[in-house]
């Protein structure tokens, strides 16, 4: 069974850090691209960061550049989203998604085949 599961969301204060985890199962992890997306109430879904597990190449949205990083532990089939210097604007439901094409990663949600259920991140001012 193919599964993508996020964890690690929660409530933090502005300026603090949080790390989200995305664990994928049911496919060959090394061939995947994993993307992190977020959606705040009343706003469109936004691509945040992605990583191609084959070559490790990443893409990052300007809105989080310098604050968020992405890393992959292929042995654990897990990708991490490290979020530092959080702002209230970062409040959203964060989703992890897997792209099985093996062509590398992109921040376009339409390219991704499997999505997690989402995890809430709330940043208080």
């Amino acid at each position: 069974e193919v599964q993508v599961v996020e964890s690690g969301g929660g409530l933090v204060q502005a300026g603090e850090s949080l790390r989200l985890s995305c664990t994928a199962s049911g496919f060959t992890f090394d061939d995947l691209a994993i993307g992190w997306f977020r959606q705040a109430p009343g706003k469109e879904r936004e691509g945040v960061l992605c990583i191609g597990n084959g070559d490790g190449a990443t893409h990052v949205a300007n809105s989080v550049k310098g604050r968020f990083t992405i890393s992959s532990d292929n042995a654990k089939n897990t990708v991490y989203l490290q979020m530092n210097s959080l702002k209230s604007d970062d409040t959203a439901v964060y989703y992890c998604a897997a792209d099985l094409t093996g062509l590398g990663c992109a921040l376009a949600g339409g390219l991704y085949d499997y999505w997690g259920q989402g995890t809430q991140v709330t940043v208080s001012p």
Side-chain angles (χ1 to χ4, degrees):
E1 180 184 4
V2 174
Q3 275 194 318
V4 179
V5 179
E6 310 96 337
S7 61
L11 172 63
V12 297
Q13 293 186 330
E16 294 184 340
S17 298
L18 202 60
R19 189 178 78 162
L20 305 183
S21 299
C22 171
T23 300
S25 60
F27 32 51
T28 303
F29 195 71
D30 291 357
D31 295 336
L32 300 178
I34 297 289
W36 282 100
F37 297 81
R38 67 184 182 184
Q39 189 163 22
K43 294 187 177 181
E44 293 187 354
R45 184 178 62 195
E46 175 189 19
V48 178
L49 274 159
C50 66
I51 185 168
N53 288 337
D55 59 7
T58 62
H59 292 283
V60 56
N62 289 334
S63 58
V64 303
K65 192 170 292 184
R67 300 187 298 122
F68 290 13
T69 58
I70 190 169
S71 62
S72 178
D73 185 340
N74 288 8
K76 295 183 178 180
N77 283 11
T78 299
V79 169
Y80 302 99
L81 178 64
Q82 178 66 43
M83 305 184 292
N84 298 328
S85 303
L86 282 161
K87 307 174 182 178
S88 55
D89 287 349
D90 295 319
T91 295
V93 177
Y94 284 71
Y95 298 91
C96 171
D99 170 15
L100 275 61
T101 62
L103 299 177
C105 80
L107 294 178
L111 299 176
Y112 290 80
D113 307 288
Y114 296 94
W115 292 78
Q117 79 287 353
T119 185
Q120 177 70 47
V121 172
T122 303
V123 184
S124 62

